[in-house]
Amino acid sequence: MCGIIGYVGPRKVVPVIIEGLRKLEYRGYDSAGMAIIEAGKLVVVKKRGKLRELEEAVRGNAYEATTGIGHTRWATHGRVEDRNAHPHMDCKGEIAVIHNGIIENYQTLRSDLIKKGHAFSSETDTEVIAHLLEEQVDAGRDLLDAVRGTAHQLQGAYAFLVVASRFPGRVIAVRNLSPLVLGVGDGEMIFSSDTPALLDYTHRIVPLHDGDVVEINDRGYFFYALEDGHAFTRAPMIVQWSAASAEKQGYKHFMLKEIYEQPVVIRDTLYGRFDVATGRVDLKEFADSPVPERISIVAAGTSYHASRVGKYLLEQLARIPTEVSFSSEYRYQQPIVQPGTLGIAVTQSGETIDTLAALRLQRQLGARVVAITNRPESSAVRESDVSFITQAGIEIGVAATKSFMAQLIAFYLMAISFGQRKGTIDQEASLRLGGELAGLSQKCEQVLEYVGVMEAIARKFYQVHDMIFVGRGVNYPIALEGALKMKEISYIHAEGYAAGELKHGPIALLEQNVPVIGLLPRGPLYEKVYSNLQESNARESPLVILAESTDATAQGLASDFIPMPIVGELFSPVLYTVPLQLLAYYTADRKGLDVDQPRNLAKSVTVE
Ligand code: AGP
């Protein structure tokens, strides 16, 4: 939700801001803007629309500034208009602020400031920050104290950056609940909402904690406590990602590139965690703790779907009672955490505010909590007892694909490891399960060869208004995920159902323009799902069926058949997910939609 960037160093800052915003645009793309200190004056340029509008607006201006801040917006307060784009300024046009988050008490602050004579030019919550800073600076405070004095008056979630013409060469940042990372370069410092935007400059990063106030200037970076202003330091950590991994590398879209990276993601997430020869899984993350008696998982969106698969695996393989909650609901359902409960927070970004809040509550209620996340530098890692870092690499496409795959693998590893330690998985079963795990990456490569098939099916159905995805057991969450992918990037109304539920209502929706996509791997539920698909066939719905390549019966029933590699039912989610991602991708691409930046969405949802 909103991307922010701030720079102090020897480079001309405008291209630094534009390139940084390009890398952060996935966080929000309603409008973009920047504030720079040019020849001692504050210059603000901001435009509604995508980043290219801002680029157009600054093109041809020979700005020399080397200090500045930039913002890409995902609107919360105020319509998508130039005046609501960030940065926001004080009355005199000397102080500029960019912000990610929501200031909950902005209305009270705004009324008070208006009474004091401040004139507002936007509908945003953010603008109050600029006017509060003006009050502080007018009272004779230095910019750093002004930022602290202002932040003390704010309620809500925020990460904001400030520049001011009276204080050239300085950018000041504060963090409370919204993500912010500092990149420490050689003679240059850069703030960003997310790490990928820093990688062109440095691999040394310092994630800010809640309550940190940080100044960057030509002497370096300086940390202060928001509460009492005392100075302290935080050592940088080194991130291994390459700048190239945040590029499209010849693919038309990030999403397609990320779908193709999944075989490697499977290999990398398994690497060093299990022994192919014995099938033994060793997770150092849990070495010091007993096998949990029960598990409570919190997650949102795609991570929630991975968690639903996780529940199935943990219960089947390790016989551990497991519940899964939407993180946005968890806090409001008066959860009961019994002794021996392991909390699991699943979040690609590690910054989803609902999931962080649920994680905190789990800990408060006495659970030990593990974060399954793709981002070692994230808040989820800092706030949990232990973290399981998935190895999906940087994911830029707003629609999560490879991170979902990595989360699935994490759950297989956890369930097998707990099962082996508990004794619900014996040596023979370990070998069988290990064999399945070891074969997944290669089978995933095989599935990616169906690109042409999925493209053809997308061509056939891209104009429909509704689609139904069905699966049962461990593949029910995959039906949910397939529908979510379709909805979020193609804007086709899609629903995922447990196949057996169709007859309890949704079957009324079926007709010849409503394709049903059925997941039909071999296994104990095969006959049941097959019957459910026949019921759909009888209502004239076109049937797209994913089943084993040798399954002539399924092929006979399907109007479009996706031949899948042979895999144990329990492991089928890993493979059956991929064609659904491709179907959503090609449908959206065929419709000419912006696959990587679908309307109204943002990759990391840092507001409640
Ligand atoms: C998935 O395609 C979506 N972009 C979204 O549902 C996402 O999974 C959700 O917002 C959770 O994000 P997280 O994993 O970073 O917490």
Side-chain angles (χ1 to χ4, degrees), residues 15-176:
V16 173
I17 292 174
I18 294 286
E19 285 317 305
L21 292 182
R22 203 184 309 288
K23 300 231 165 62
L24 293 172
E25 210 183 2
Y26 70 88
R27 301 180 67 83
Y29 28 84
D30 298 333
S31 10
M34 66 170 73
I36 58 175
I37 309 292
E38 180 76 9
K41 293 236 155 34
L42 184 69
V43 175
V44 169
V45 187
K46 51 190 195 173
K47 287 279 163 203
R48 63 164 282 167
K50 295 254 167 122
L51 180 60
R52 56 181 170 267
E53 305 296 333
L54 177 67
E55 271 185 282
E56 211 40 59
V58 294
R59 182 162 298 143
N61 288 303
Y63 293 121
E64 294 292 328
T66 57
T67 299
I69 56 179
H71 187 272
T72 178
R73 180 172 187 237
W74 186 84
T76 57
H77 294 65
R79 279 158 293 184
V80 180
E81 293 174 2
D82 283 356
R83 69 193 177 110
N84 289 328
H86 297 215
H88 293 286
M89 284 185 287
D90 65 326
C91 298
K92 303 185 194 76
E94 292 179 352
I95 302 170
V97 179
I98 53 174
H99 163 224
N100 172 23
I102 291 179
I103 306 301
E104 285 164 4
N105 58 337
Y106 85 101
Q107 272 166 325
T108 319
L109 293 169
R110 188 178 165 116
S111 322
D112 291 350
L113 286 159
I114 289 171
K115 277 187 211 137
K116 287 181 184 163
H118 288 263
F120 278 75
S121 43
S122 79
E123 301 164 329
T124 65
D125 53 336
T126 304
E127 196 181 345
V128 296
I129 303 175
H131 294 279
L132 289 171
L133 283 164
E134 182 178 15
E135 290 270 309
Q136 298 273 329
V137 169
D138 284 354
R141 299 209 167 90
D142 174 66
L143 191 58
L144 189 69
D145 294 333
V147 167
R148 282 190 47 243
T150 296
H152 281 148
Q153 300 174 63
L154 305 176
Q155 287 163 15
Y158 52 81
F160 69 83
L161 301 186
V162 179
V163 288
S165 54
R166 272 200 246 171
F167 305 94
R170 300 168 71 182
V171 176
I172 298 186
V174 194
R175 173 195 155 128
N176 180 47

Side-chain angles (χ1 to χ4, degrees), residues 299-304 346-352 355 397-401 403 407 481 484-485 488 601-605:
T302 288
S303 297
Y304 172 81
V346 185
T347 165
Q348 185 285 131
S349 60
E351 300 293 349
T352 299
T355 305
V398 166
T401 51
S403 60
Q407 290 166 351
E481 176 59 9
L484 176 64
K485 287 289 91 87
E488 65 179 338
L601 302 186
K603 178 119 189 104
S604 174
V605 184

Side-chain angles (χ1 to χ4, degrees), residues 188-488:
E188 57 188 351
M189 301 289 145
I190 182 162
F191 287 117
S192 167
S193 297
D194 200 359
T195 312
L198 305 173
L199 298 176
D200 283 332
Y201 307 93
T202 182
H203 284 71
R204 291 196 298 155
I205 66 154
V206 190
L208 271 66
H209 296 198
D210 289 341
D212 285 355
V213 181
V214 187
E215 169 164 350
I216 57 174
N217 58 40
D218 61 1
R219 289 173 296 115
Y221 68 91
F222 304 90
F223 274 77
Y224 303 90
L226 173 58
E227 199 170 329
D228 58 12
H230 80 265
F232 63 98
T233 191
R234 289 195 193 284
M237 62 189 274
I238 309 289
V239 286
Q240 304 295 352
W241 295 316
S242 68
S245 63
E247 303 292 340
K248 282 191 208 144
Q249 296 173 339
Y251 285 90
K252 186 172 178 189
H253 294 103
F254 279 110
M255 181 180 177
L256 189 59
K257 171 183 168 247
E258 288 158 4
I259 290 172
Y260 269 93
E261 285 171 344
Q262 293 179 113
V264 174
V265 167
I266 296 172
R267 266 200 296 274
D268 288 352
T269 305
L270 289 175
Y271 182 76
R273 286 174 163 140
F274 99 110
D275 178 6
V276 191
T278 60
R280 187 88 206 161
V281 175
D282 277 313
L283 300 180
K284 60 176 179 350
E285 293 84 349
F286 302 102
D288 301 335
S289 50
V291 174
E293 286 166 42
R294 51 191 71 76
I295 290 175
S296 165
I297 311 178
V298 290
T302 288
S303 297
Y304 172 81
H305 297 151
S307 306
R308 293 285 297 259
V309 175
K311 167 183 164 70
Y312 198 89
L313 300 175
L314 288 158
E315 292 188 337
Q316 292 277 313
L317 294 171
R319 308 303 295 156
I320 301 174
T322 302
E323 53 167 47
V324 187
S325 305
F326 285 121
S327 43
S328 55
E329 288 292 313
Y330 184 76
R331 268 190 297 170
Y332 308 105
Q333 64 197 28
Q334 300 189 341
I336 300 162
V337 170
Q338 290 173 295
T341 299
L342 175 71
I344 305 182
V346 185
T347 165
Q348 185 285 131
S349 60
E351 300 293 349
T352 299
I353 204 159
D354 289 325
T355 305
L356 291 176
L359 178 165
R360 284 179 201 125
L361 181 56
Q362 285 184 318
R363 292 190 79 194
Q364 215 175 303
L365 295 174
R368 178 179 157 81
V369 177
V370 56
I372 299 182
T373 180
N374 199 34
R375 305 304 293 264
E377 78 284 27
S378 65
S379 304
V381 169
R382 284 196 299 282
E383 297 207 25
S384 51
D385 296 290
V386 61
S387 42
F388 185 117
I389 308 293
T390 55
Q391 301 296 329
I394 296 171
E395 187 177 68
I396 307 279
V398 166
T401 51
K402 62 175 181 170
S403 60
F404 176 72
M405 187 59 79
Q407 290 166 351
L408 291 184
I409 299 298
F411 275 119
Y412 284 101
L413 289 169
M414 280 174 67
I416 294 173
S417 162
F418 288 150
Q420 288 171 337
R421 287 172 61 188
K422 245 183 104 172
T424 54
I425 298 176
D426 61 18
Q427 223 172 346
E428 195 191 321
S430 291
L431 278 172
R432 189 173 36 79
L433 295 168
E436 290 276 15
L437 274 184
L440 286 176
S441 171
Q442 202 198 344
K443 287 179 183 169
C444 184
E445 268 166 25
Q446 261 172 270
V447 178
L448 284 166
E449 286 166 16
Y450 310 155
V451 162
V453 181
M454 299 321 296
E455 201 173 353
I457 297 175
R459 263 203 308 278
K460 195 162 154 187
F461 294 121
Y462 77 99
Q463 285 175 313
V464 301
H465 295 292
D466 308 277
M467 278 191 192
I468 306 285
F469 291 73
V470 293
R472 277 182 98 147
V474 73
N475 277 301
Y476 165 45
I478 302 306
L480 295 174
E481 176 59 9
L484 176 64
K485 287 289 91 87
M486 187 59 76
K487 272 187 271 218
E488 65 179 338

Side-chain angles (χ1 to χ4, degrees), residues 530 537 543 545 551-559 561:
Y530 186 80
N537 188 43
L543 275 186
I545 299 183
D551 188 341
T553 318
Q555 191 164 3
L557 181 64
S559 40
F561 181 68

